[in-house]
């Protein structure tokens, strides 16, 4: 059990302090907990006043907790919003010196419009909107060479008004292939993120294609913003990974990949 994409109240939009998150992880038998606090310096994030996380407070809390010997590995990371090379450079300057284990690169907006507001979904039907989001993601990967994990490729559907919100490979095969080839070439991981699932999980077709192209690095996270959400549906994510042919989940420690066998 692990959860490699979580937020404590060191991020602007999360509820619980790091201590509560770590205690909840211990209680639920989670072996690896990754704090990936927000750095949303894209235009939408700045316009909405999304202040960067307090990494110093998170670091202090983890050090004071000293979970060694308690069956819990705590990693510290950041989730950086991707938009252009200038945004990535400003984000890197902000987290430099924080001794983070890894960085998640995530696309939260396209053209300055957040992929979570009604205006974003007014640009067309589901397939058109999904394709637009994934094509933008493919273009932005090269603007942030220092991230280790691509976060929630299906973020476009998390707040969507569609009855069928599942993102499928056939929605944008060329964009998906471009994303996968970039990640594989640069040693970066794809993430299975469970936060958008309301009923049945999706993504087997996406993960299977990623594996077919040679993808080996796969991360998993709940995107929890509170202790009660920690580890949510991670067992289903691991079963999905196994179904696509993955035997390991990848965590990053001090920037380097470590493979954890899926049992």
């Amino acid at each position: 059990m692990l959860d490699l994409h979580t937020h404590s109240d060191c991020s602007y939009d999360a509820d619980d302090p790091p201590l509560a998150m770590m205690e909840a992880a211990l209680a639920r038998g989670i072996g690896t907990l990754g704090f990936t606090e927000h750095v949303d310096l894209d235009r939408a994030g700045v316009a909405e006043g999304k202040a960067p996380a307090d990494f110093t407070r998170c670091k202090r809390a983890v050090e004071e907790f000293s979970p060694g010997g308690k069956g819990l590995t705590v990693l510290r990371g950041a989730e950086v919003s991707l938009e252009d090379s200038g945004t990535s450079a400003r984000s890197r300057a902000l987290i430099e010196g924080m001794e983070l284990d890894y960085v998640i690169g995530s696309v939260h907006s396209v053209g300055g419009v957040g992929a979570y507001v009604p205006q974003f979904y007014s640009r067309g039907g589901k397939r058109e909107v999904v394709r637009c989001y994934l094509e933008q993601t493919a273009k932005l990967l090269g603007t942030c060479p220092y991230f280790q994990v691509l976060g929630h490729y299906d973020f476009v559907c998390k707040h969507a008004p569609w009855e069928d919100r599942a993102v499928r490979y056939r929605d944008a095969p060329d964009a998906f292939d471009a994303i996968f080839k970039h990640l594989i070439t640069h040693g970066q991981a794809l993430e299975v993120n469970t936060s958008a699932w309301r009923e049945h999980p999706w993504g087997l077709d996406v993960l299977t294609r990623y594996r077919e192209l040679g993808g080996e690095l796969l991360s998993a996270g709940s995107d929890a913003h509170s202790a009660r959400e920690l580890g949510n549906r991670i067992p289903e994510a691991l079963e999905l990974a196994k179904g696509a042919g993955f035997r390991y989940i990848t965590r990053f420690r001090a920037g380097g990949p470590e493979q954890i066998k899926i049992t």
Side-chain angles (χ1 to χ4, degrees):
M1 231 342 225
L2 46 73
D3 196 339
L4 301 173
H5 187 151
T6 75
H7 303 277
S8 74
D9 70 353
C10 294
S11 290
Y12 63 87
D13 60 347
D15 298 332
D16 295 315
L19 177 59
M21 300 287 281
M22 290 184 284
E23 289 177 338
L26 275 174
R28 293 173 197 176
I30 292 174
T32 303
L33 171 64
F35 288 117
T36 50
E37 309 294 5
H38 283 298
V39 180
D40 295 332
L41 299 184
D42 57 333
R43 278 178 288 165
V46 171
E48 295 166 20
K50 297 179 178 180
D54 187 344
F55 291 97
T56 300
R57 180 160 67 87
C58 184
K59 178 183 179 182
R60 186 183 309 119
V62 172
E63 290 175 342
E64 291 175 352
F65 185 65
S66 300
K70 297 180 181 178
L72 175 64
T73 297
V74 181
L75 305 175
R76 293 187 304 105
E79 182 182 14
V80 170
S81 285
L82 305 182
E83 185 170 58
D84 52 36
S85 55
T87 298
S88 295
R90 289 190 293 274
S91 300
R92 188 169 197 172
L94 192 148
I95 62 178
E96 198 162 10
M98 294 296 163
E99 301 175 348
L100 301 179
D101 290 293
Y102 61 108
V103 173
I104 295 176
S106 297
V107 177
H108 293 121
S109 64
V110 176
V113 180
Y116 41 80
V117 298
Q119 178 187 350
F120 187 85
Y121 302 99
S122 66
R123 62 187 68 198
K126 175 189 172 183
R127 193 161 187 175
E128 182 179 355
V129 173
V130 169
R131 186 173 64 249
C132 172
Y133 176 85
L134 290 170
E135 287 175 348
Q136 183 72 356
T137 298
K139 292 177 182 178
L140 295 181
L141 297 181
T143 67
C144 188
Y146 57 87
F147 77 82
Q148 283 81 26
V149 179
L150 173 64
H152 44 51
Y153 69 84
D154 53 2
F155 183 77
V156 64
C157 75
K158 186 172 182 178
H159 304 279
W162 313 311
E163 182 176 346
D164 174 17
R165 296 179 308 106
V167 173
R168 299 178 175 88
Y169 174 75
R170 67 173 183 263
D171 292 333
D174 291 343
F176 266 125
D177 283 358
I179 291 169
F180 298 156
K181 291 173 182 178
H182 182 100
L183 297 178
I184 292 165
T185 300
H186 293 83
Q188 296 162 320
L190 181 70
E191 179 187 73
V192 183
N193 189 298
T194 67
S195 65
W197 298 348
R198 292 179 190 165
E199 294 180 356
H200 301 296
W202 59 71
L204 180 60
D205 56 338
V206 174
L207 298 186
T208 298
R209 178 57 175 165
Y210 175 53
R211 190 76 189 92
E212 288 174 350
L213 291 177
E216 296 182 353
L217 304 183
L218 189 69
S219 185
S222 69
D223 211 344
H225 283 64
S226 67
R228 68 180 179 277
E229 298 170 336
L230 199 62
N232 186 40
R233 306 191 76 167
I234 292 296
E236 292 172 85
L238 300 182
E239 286 299 316
L240 203 67
K242 286 170 62 178
F246 288 89
R247 297 176 59 200
Y248 299 91
I249 293 295
T250 305
R251 71 182 183 189
F252 289 85
R253 193 197 298 258
E258 297 178 348
Q259 300 286 66
I260 302 175
K261 191 171 183 178
I262 302 172
T263 58

